[in-house]
Amino acid sequence: MMEGCEYAISNAEAFAEKLSRELQVLDGANIQSIMASEKQVNILMKLLDEALKEVDQIELKLSSYEEMLQSVKEQMDQISESNHLIHLSNTNNVKLLSEIEFLVNHMDLAKGHIKALQEGDLASSRGIEACTNAADALLQCMNVALRPGHDMLLAVKQQQQRFSDLRELFARRLASHLNNVFVQQGHDQSSTLAQHSIELTLPNHHPFHRDLLRYAKLMEWLKSTDYGKYEGLTKNYMDYLSRLYEREIKDFFEVAKIKMTGTTKESKKFATLPRKESAVKQETESLHGSSGKLTGSTSSLNKLSVQSSGNRRSQSSSLLDMGNMSASDLDVADRTKFDKIFEQVLSELEPLCLAEQDFISKFFKLQQHQSIPGTMAEAEDLDGGTLSRQHNCGTPLPVSSEKDMIRQMMIKIFRCIEPELNNLIALGDKIDSFNSLYMLVKMSHHVWTAQNVDPASFLSTTLGNVLVTVKRNFDKCISNQIRQMEEVKISKKSKVGILPFVAEFEEFAGLAESIFKNAERRGDLDKAYTKLIRGVFVNVEKVANESQKTPRDVVMMENFHHIFATLSRLKISCLEAEKKDAKQKYTDHLQSYVIYSLGQPLEKLNHFFEGVEARVAQGIREEEVSYQLAFNKQELRKVIKEYPGKEVKKGLDNLYKKVDKHLCEEENLLQVVWHSMQDEFIRQYKHFEGLIARCYPGSGVTMEFTIQDILDYCSSIAQSH
């Protein structure tokens, strides 16, 4: 069409007219076509009407379908809601079942456990095991961690109350049974005391501990569930056992005292001996009857004053005088016996205390190194004061640690050990103060051993306290010896000889060296040596100055010789300087005594030559002295003739007798002194001969006796006596 209208662009109007004419032609054709198809239109209209009716019917069906679908939707909504509720219900049921199962599983106690708690046999091993299992199960039920809201359930409240009633019932049963066991133990042990009364042994508590340890788990249960009853049992145990141990330990120490003093128990009980018995028995009775605290001081105890015969020490300075035996025989026997008895006492006490402490730790579940709340108040005093309960509600009071509780329990149970040990030590010191040496070494060793195990333990503390007493007695022994040195009195009518305190120092040093060999307290002995040797030196000189019968030099010479010999034999390292000093003093006073006693045996000759030496000192030549009128050859011969060999021998014999009277037999120094005098006499003789040769050369003047004569005289005199 566009190709047939190429001019449309150039002639639009013509083109529009052409289009209009064609449109009219088409409209006319259409009208004619319509008018020709009217019949068909009617048919079409009829079909349209029928279609509308069909549409209406379809709409009616659709409406009914819609109504039906609406009902189904509501039903589906109801079903959906019902399904949600069913799911929620199922979920709740599952949770409820879980909670019920939790409560049933954790809060249901088996009938067998209930029966064991109510009436289980606490005496048999099987019954104890059943009760232990039941108690553990009950504790688990009571300690179950309830979830929020459980405690509001009536059944839970009822079950908890039932558990509390069972716990209270079983706690009462357990406490009552154990209290009966404690009491029975006291009776059973008392029946065995008689067989130990004659032996120095302590009863063995191991069977009792073994039986009680079967209840250890139940005690742990009681401690965690009812601390009040646990504390009550602890206190009752201490009360019963302290009385039992007190009887056992006192009887044990009674036997030790009897064995120390050598008395017997056949006639009367030791503690009830009458005062008219021997001094040792009297003192033992007074010590046994003493009570209360002992501070360890024995300054109020006086020495036994039983006299000894054949003892070289005086009564005032004697340390052990009993019966009529010699001190040395009695000392050796008694000190050996005392040492064994004292060691036996300590050896019996140590395992007893250690076993009891170990048992307490295990039975009462008290660990040595764990800090926990405790209930025991501190002891009122260290000798076993009452451990009081500060409360009755079962709430623990704080203490520093369970270790402290163990120590306080041990103090209460063994409150009599320290006083009894102090009494025994006082008796040993009274029998013989040298016993303090044995006690110091033994006690030091046992303290050292105990402190290596546990420095803060009851045993270590108690033995440490007693060691203070022993050390004080040892110091007192040293002080007494020094005081006795100062108080010693010598006879004015007899020669002095070896002083008593010098002999005592030798005895002390010999005994101490044998006792302290490889001992831990060697330093204490060295300090004592220093004090004693200083006192010995000072008082030997004091006595020597006061001596009237015996020359001062003899007293000094003999006693320092004895001291030097003692120190040389014992080889005491800390007294090396004193040994050298003693040797020097001995040598000096020997020389002094020799010169003093020998004097000038050729007195006139000595005076003559003193004059000669004086002239030479004035400047006169030695060979010109003979020209002096008073010192010429004739005067020399005159003086020499006054000392023939016979007179010299007589003078030496008198001198020997004089020296023999001065010296004592104990030290055996007579020949030493005599030999020194011989040497001194020969020295003087040679001095005179030398002067004659120098001042009177060629004169032919000689002494009327020779050196060989002097040697013969001295030898003959010594042999004749």
Side-chain angles (χ1 to χ4, degrees), residues 205 208 236-246 413:
H205 286 244
F208 175 57
N236 289 340
Y237 178 84
M238 289 189 295
D239 290 341
Y240 289 128
L241 266 293
S242 63
R243 291 196 290 268
L244 173 62
Y245 275 120
E246 186 169 5
I413 292 172

Side-chain angles (χ1 to χ4, degrees), residues 3-4 56 123 237 244 305 353 432 473 544:
E3 289 176 356
D56 289 339
Y237 178 84
L244 173 62
S305 56
C353 293
D432 182 356
N473 287 350

Side-chain angles (χ1 to χ4, degrees), residues 75-88:
Q75 289 177 3
M76 291 301 294
D77 289 342
Q78 290 176 358
I79 290 171
S80 176
E81 185 178 355
S82 177
N83 286 339
H84 175 71
L85 292 175
I86 290 171
H87 178 71
L88 182 61

Side-chain angles (χ1 to χ4, degrees), residues 402-419:
E402 289 189 346
K403 189 174 182 180
D404 289 335
M405 186 183 293
I406 292 175
R407 185 169 57 85
Q408 297 303 331
M409 289 179 69
M410 291 290 290
I411 290 174
K412 175 65 183 293
I413 292 172
F414 291 108
R415 59 190 173 189
C416 65
I417 283 185
E418 187 172 336

Side-chain angles (χ1 to χ4, degrees), residues 52 73 101 123 136 138 202-203 244 257 350 460 498 522 607 697:
L52 288 173
K73 179 185 177 184
E101 288 178 345
D136 288 340
L138 176 62
L202 283 165
L244 173 62
K257 293 172 186 175
E350 273 191 0
S460 177
I498 302 303
R522 179 73 200 194
H607 286 319

Side-chain angles (χ1 to χ4, degrees), residues 305-449:
S305 56
V306 185
Q307 289 223 345
S308 167
S309 63
N311 188 349
R312 69 184 176 217
R313 295 175 292 180
S314 65
Q315 180 180 347
S316 63
S317 63
S318 66
L319 294 172
L320 176 59
D321 301 318
M322 297 180 66
N324 293 319
M325 296 174 63
S326 68
S328 59
D329 293 340
L330 191 59
D331 285 353
V332 171
D334 283 359
R335 288 170 183 165
T336 302
K337 180 178 72 173
F338 177 85
D339 183 37
K340 291 180 179 178
I341 293 173
F342 193 72
E343 174 62 25
Q344 179 71 11
V345 168
L346 296 179
S347 298
E348 288 288 324
L349 288 176
E350 273 191 0
L352 182 74
C353 293
L354 292 175
E356 184 64 31
Q357 180 169 309
D358 183 60
F359 168 75
I360 287 174
S361 174
K362 292 177 180 177
F363 181 69
F364 292 99
K365 294 299 176 181
L366 299 173
Q367 300 303 320
Q368 294 286 338
H369 304 289
Q370 177 186 4
S371 295
I372 62 129
T375 62
M376 295 299 160
E378 290 295 325
E380 290 177 358
D381 42 51
L382 285 178
D383 65 341
T386 303
L387 288 167
S388 60
R389 287 177 63 189
Q390 300 295 321
H391 55 88
N392 297 315
C393 62
T395 302
L397 289 178
V399 294
S400 60
S401 68
E402 289 189 346
K403 189 174 182 180
D404 289 335
M405 186 183 293
I406 292 175
R407 185 169 57 85
Q408 297 303 331
M409 289 179 69
M410 291 290 290
I411 290 174
K412 175 65 183 293
I413 292 172
F414 291 108
R415 59 190 173 189
C416 65
I417 283 185
E418 187 172 336
E420 287 295 333
L421 270 174
N422 283 332
N423 285 346
L424 189 71
I425 289 166
L427 176 62
D429 185 60
K430 185 171 292 297
I431 292 173
D432 182 356
S433 64
F434 279 6
N435 284 336
S436 61
L437 278 71
Y438 291 100
M439 292 188 284
L440 182 61
V441 171
K442 296 295 184 185
M443 189 62 71
S444 298
H445 176 70
H446 284 272
V447 169
W448 180 81
T449 303

Side-chain angles (χ1 to χ4, degrees), residues 35 44 165 167 191 225 228 272 320 332 429 462 466:
M35 289 175 68
L44 179 63
D165 294 342
R167 179 192 65 186
S191 64
T225 58
T272 59
L320 176 59
V332 171
D429 185 60
T462 300
V466 176

